[in-house]
Amino acid sequence: MDNLKTMTDEALVELYACGNNIAFDILLNRYKRAVHSYIFYTVRDRDLTEDIFQETFLKVIVAIQQGRYQENGKFKAWIMRLAHNLIIDNFRQERSENTVSNDEMEVDLFNDMKLCDTNIEDEMIQEQVYDDIKKLLRHLPDSQREVLEMRYYQDLSFKEIADMTGVSINTALGRARYALMNMRKMADENHISLSF
């Protein structure tokens, strides 16, 4: 078992796919604290954290057993992305369950300036800015896009990003800096406003 602990994530994934459950236990122990902390930091609810944590590793098990794991060298990033997607799914579901119908109202509560911080026009502008940012992200080199997505969409620290991508913190910071510079340049060249 001690020699299993020194194996790479990918080697452990292969062993687990072949039926070695101890290999999965080692992977779980390797990343459970990081995944659990990330989920709790995002949702701020212990019970919900446990549910999402369990569902994340259930998805890991199913994906590996079905041979769908393809993320060579990026196992931790893959698990974090699974957890992140489950958090987003949960927030979407929660939001749709709490939706109030405005169909039978004489007054438009959702677009009344006196009752809202923002109006539909502001939200449309904000949505357009987000869409523009996503388009710009697609045009960045993979290494720069990966750092920005991990930093701003997964809310990871630069140390975590460096660990997950196998580079130094300075390299991760540099990639983020160049990514932002490149996005500003592309936005200027295409007359895209990145503020709302």
Side-chain angles (χ1 to χ4, degrees):
M1 175 149 161
D2 285 341
N3 63 335
L4 288 178
K5 289 182 180 177
T6 61
M7 294 179 100
T8 65
D9 294 341
E10 271 56 44
L12 290 169
V13 167
E14 284 181 35
L15 279 175
Y16 178 61
C18 293
N20 186 327
N21 290 331
I22 295 171
F24 181 78
D25 292 342
I26 292 169
L27 284 169
L28 174 65
N29 286 328
R30 218 174 253 184
Y31 296 114
K32 67 182 178 185
R33 187 188 306 172
V35 174
H36 197 275
S37 297
Y38 170 68
I39 296 168
F40 181 73
Y41 178 79
T42 307
V43 302
R44 305 283 184 182
D45 179 292
R46 291 202 185 282
D47 292 334
L48 183 57
T49 296
E50 291 305 319
D51 289 346
I52 293 173
F53 178 81
Q54 296 296 329
E55 196 172 343
T56 299
F57 276 94
L58 194 64
K59 281 187 173 283
V60 170
I61 290 168
V62 170
I64 293 172
Q65 288 179 345
Q66 292 179 350
R68 291 186 288 121
Y69 173 73
Q70 301 287 320
E71 306 280 330
N72 289 337
K74 298 179 182 176
F75 184 77
K76 183 178 180 186
W78 177 65
I79 294 177
M80 297 302 255
R81 191 165 56 247
L82 285 176
H84 178 78
N85 290 342
L86 287 169
I87 291 167
I88 297 299
D89 290 347
N90 179 73
F91 284 141
R92 283 185 184 140
Q93 180 183 351
E94 199 175 274
R95 189 172 59 200
S96 70
E97 288 172 358
N98 294 326
T99 301
V100 177
S101 173
N102 195 33
D103 296 340
E104 298 174 11
M105 299 283 191
E106 289 181 25
V107 178
D108 185 357
L109 294 176
F110 297 111
N111 208 26
D112 187 333
M113 291 297 289
K114 296 181 286 278
L115 301 174
C116 302
D117 292 333
T118 62
N119 60 25
I120 298 295
E121 183 181 355
D122 291 339
E123 289 175 14
M124 287 174 67
I125 292 169
Q126 183 176 355
E127 194 172 307
Q128 181 62 50
V129 169
Y130 287 144
D131 287 345
D132 290 339
I133 289 171
K134 285 180 187 173
K135 287 176 190 167
L136 292 174
L137 271 172
R138 282 187 229 132
H139 294 287
L140 290 174
D142 289 344
S143 61
Q144 292 177 12
R145 183 178 65 247
E146 179 182 45
V147 170
L148 284 190
E149 287 175 347
M150 293 171 89
R151 180 72 181 126
Y152 294 104
Y153 290 105
Q154 297 178 27
D155 202 29
L156 299 177
S157 70
F158 282 105
K159 176 162 184 7
E160 290 171 317
I161 293 168
D163 291 343
M164 290 168 71
T165 56
V167 298
S168 69
I169 293 177
N170 285 340
T171 300
L173 286 165
R175 287 177 180 174
R177 184 171 156 260
Y178 283 115
L180 294 172
M181 288 168 49
N182 286 335
M183 286 179 69
R184 282 192 195 107
K185 183 179 176 190
M186 286 187 284
D188 288 344
E189 288 170 356
N190 293 288
H191 308 290
I192 297 171
S193 173
L194 295 180
S195 58
F196 44 87

